Amino acid sequence: MRAVDCIVKKRDGGSLTRDELDWLIDGYTAGRIGDEQMAAWAMAVVLRGMDDRETADLTLAMARSGEQLDVHDIAPLTVDKHSTGGIGDKTSLVVAPLVAAAGMPVAKMSGRGLGFSGGTIDKLESIPGFRAELTTAEFRTVLAHSGLVIAAQSAELAPADRRLYALRDVTGTVESLPLIAASIMSKKLAAGADCIVLDVKCGSGAFMTTLADARRLAATMVAIGRHAGRRTAAVISSMAQPLGHMIGNALEVREAIATLQGHGPSDLIELCLTLGSELAVLSGRCDDHAAARALLRETLASGAAWRAFRGMVVAQGGDPAVLDDPVRLPHAPHRVALVAPRAGVIQAINGAALGHVVNRLGGGRSHKGATIDHAVGLELLVQLGDAIAAGAPLMRIHAASAASAAAEVPALLDAITIGVEPVAVPPLILELVR
Ligand code: URA
């Protein structure tokens, strides 16, 4: 077989066989196939798509590309949550400790920023000392000790996805339903969680912008999970506007800490309770969703979820003094207010555009392996449907220099639509796929 033949077959709209996909993924993992050919194949997939059989075969090939973790000797049943990626999405930082503190161990592998969206690992690494790159032995030790571990995908686990994820980030090949489904589910299957809840984001701040695409992605991933014997459900949630107020790595950690300490934004809390209660029911921890919500509300209110987060971060090397005093998180030297050019109603917020701004400010990568500035980002001061006066603050830009903030003003003003008509704000939870 030759990689170029696989690329041409996909470019011309064909379906790769299971053997061809196994060969391609094996070759890429082993280094026999290089980034240039994989990037060309990924672009062909973006443009031509994949059928369900191909997507499932790709997922299994990627899940089998490395070690497959089994932590049943430590925790008889583990749960996991994964998002398809959205703007301001710090949900994992809250849901994981929330469900762990409620008696559901979480063994989680997460990603770094991807395209215009941030990643859980980049966010956690804004805490000085935090180590996300754990060996399998360290991953198991933290899980045994804390009942909760969030690590970067280890080099041994789904290495094909690890390489492909970083390649897609910088080659414009993120926005593909089959590639997203295979990327997420290969990691989830290899990391061994028994129960999986998927947060499928839909809207301007997500990779799936229509409900029809979000439904297809959710159904594809739930089917792959079930086929592999995992209890799997999905929540389709709105990304018509960013989640919470903060966008950017350290800013999002600050907001997650505030949420765990009982002062979070209502949309973030609602999404966390919804995702957490799906896990509580899937895992059998609670009989129904009402009981699950009550348990999780109590876990948040008692401070148990905050203690679980703190325990995990400290077990992974994070500085407890920073957690206890989050103003010590990295902060940008320049904070510049962006004000409304006219009075009106906030009718649309283009989340992807805001994500691109954060990347350009230094919060994301422009090439594989680039270093990022954890401190930069945006603090949104308005929401969809808000009525604002001319000159009212729309957001605060957190930037490394006054010039980099100023350069983004036109893009930011473009990302916020101010009109005269009232708007119908979509519900946060759009659908459940159980
Ligand atoms: N999250 C992932 O892990 N992979 C994707 O492709 C998109 C979101």
Side-chain angles (χ1 to χ4, degrees):
M1 261 182 237
R2 297 186 319 155
V4 66
D5 297 329
C6 296
I7 297 166
V8 167
K9 188 171 181 186
K10 182 45 68 186
R11 183 199 67 192
D12 294 344
S15 290
L16 298 196
T17 64
R18 176 179 301 179
D19 284 351
E20 284 168 333
L21 286 164
D22 283 347
W23 179 85
L24 197 66
I25 294 301
D26 277 359
Y28 186 51
T29 311
R32 290 189 299 276
I33 297 173
D35 277 349
E36 66 290 349
Q37 286 192 306
M38 242 12 223
W41 168 80
M43 186 56 85
V45 174
V46 169
L47 299 175
R48 290 300 198 160
M50 274 184 159
D51 59 35
D52 289 349
R53 193 272 313 149
E54 253 187 309
T55 308
D57 284 344
L58 174 66
T59 308
L60 296 178
M62 299 211 306
R64 287 191 301 252
S65 64
E67 188 186 342
Q68 307 207 45
L69 209 58
D70 185 350
V71 293
H72 286 113
D73 55 327
I74 300 171
L77 190 128
T78 57
V79 303
D80 198 354
K81 167 263 164 196
H82 200 94
S83 152
T84 56
I87 299 300
D89 183 14
K90 66 283 292 173
T91 315
S92 290
L93 303 182
V94 179
V95 172
L98 179 59
V99 297
M104 293 163 264
V106 179
K108 182 162 175 53
M109 299 266 178
S110 285
R112 297 182 186 281
L114 186 66
F116 59 74
S117 96
T120 300
I121 294 303
D122 288 335
K123 292 170 197 180
L124 283 168
E125 283 181 347
S126 58
I127 304 170
F130 183 86
R131 282 182 51 235
E133 305 281 347
L134 303 181
T135 62
T136 302
E138 288 171 328
F139 185 87
R140 292 169 58 87
T141 305
V142 178
L143 176 64
H145 177 260
S146 311
L148 164 65
V149 55
I150 304 181
Q153 207 176 332
S154 82
E156 296 92 50
L157 207 117
D161 175 62
R162 187 181 157 99
R163 283 192 69 191
L164 191 54
Y165 188 98
L167 184 67
R168 287 169 55 219
D169 185 30
V170 294
T171 54
T173 52
V174 174
E175 289 89 344
S176 152
L177 191 153
L179 292 182
I180 293 174
S183 165
I184 291 176
M185 292 310 291
S186 64
K187 282 193 279 278
K188 300 298 103 182
L189 299 183
D194 302 283
C195 307
I196 303 166
V197 67
L198 302 157
D199 179 11
V200 177
K201 305 284 193 191
C202 173
S204 76
F207 299 125
M208 299 294 123
T209 52
T210 67
L211 187 56
D213 279 350
R215 273 191 192 127
R216 260 192 68 214
L217 178 60
T220 304
M221 293 196 294
V222 169
I224 293 171
R226 297 223 173 121
H227 178 70
R230 313 298 167 85
R231 297 177 220 170
T232 311
V235 172
I236 302 180
S237 65
S238 170
M239 259 287 136
Q241 58 185 330
L243 191 67
H245 307 296
M246 303 295 199
I247 311 167
N249 297 296
L251 289 170
E252 292 190 39
V253 170
R254 249 172 62 188
E255 192 165 52
I257 290 176
T259 304
L260 288 163
Q261 294 181 337
H263 326 291
S266 55
D267 57 346
L268 177 59
I269 296 172
E270 174 55 26
L271 183 58
C272 291
L273 292 174
T274 303
L275 293 164
S277 61
E278 289 299 319
L279 285 173
V281 172
L282 278 179
S283 66
R285 175 74 179 80
C286 295
D287 291 335
D288 58 55
H289 293 87
R293 273 183 169 256
L295 170 69
L296 295 175
R297 275 194 190 284
E298 169 53 27
T299 308
L300 200 56
S302 69
W306 159 241
R307 288 191 292 279
F309 179 78
R310 193 181 182 284
M312 173 205 69
V313 171
V314 173
Q316 293 183 225
D319 184 348
V322 174
L323 291 177
D324 294 337
D325 188 11
V327 292
R328 293 170 65 174
L329 281 162
H331 55 273
H334 293 269
R335 294 171 195 198
V336 179
L338 181 83
V339 298
R342 60 186 165 279
V345 174
I346 305 292
Q347 295 195 321
I349 301 178
N350 183 338
L354 300 186
H356 286 301
V357 167
V358 174
N359 279 357
R360 287 196 297 270
L361 288 171
R365 295 176 182 78
S366 56
H367 57 274
K368 228 173 156 177
T371 51
I372 60 172
D373 183 346
H374 290 103
V376 299
L378 302 171
E379 196 178 338
L380 207 54
L381 304 171
V382 291
Q383 289 188 315
L384 282 184
D386 284 357
I388 45 143
L394 296 173
M395 64 179 85
R396 255 189 295 276
I397 310 168
H398 294 237
S401 69
S404 62
E408 297 303 339
V409 167
L412 289 171
L413 288 175
D414 234 33
I416 311 263
T417 308
I418 302 173
V420 286
E421 302 292 327
V423 284
V425 181
L428 177 65
I429 308 300
L430 295 170
E431 279 180 21
L432 301 170
V433 182
R434 289 183 176 142

